[in-house]
Amino acid sequence: MEEQYWNRFAETGKITDYLNYRGIMICKQVMGRYEGDMSSESDYIDWDGAVSGAGGGV
């Protein structure tokens, strides 16, 4: 299915067609998480950790 959206973007070069393609990819990642696929989990890393914030203040 993604290939169809990519081919459409390749033909038209329109931003909206590219965003449709990316939307399909993101949707598949989210659905994969709910189905237990953690392979794309690295896209959502919390660099600050669970304990401290980025500010480092008191």
Side-chain angles (χ1 to χ4, degrees):
M1 177 183 255
E2 307 92 36
E3 187 176 340
Q4 176 184 359
Y5 285 93
W6 178 257
N7 289 338
R8 171 93 174 157
F9 167 66
E11 286 179 22
T12 66
K14 292 182 180 179
I15 298 271
T16 53
D17 289 333
Y18 177 74
L19 292 175
N20 285 332
Y21 165 74
R22 286 297 297 154
I24 293 294
M25 300 300 292
I26 292 168
C27 182
K28 283 185 68 172
Q29 289 175 347
V30 170
M31 290 175 63
R33 276 193 208 97
Y34 284 106
E35 294 171 355
D37 176 21
M38 302 305 255
S39 64
S40 59
E41 195 66 27
S42 64
D43 293 342
Y44 298 96
I45 292 174
D46 180 9
W47 291 104
D48 298 325
V51 178
S52 65
V58 177

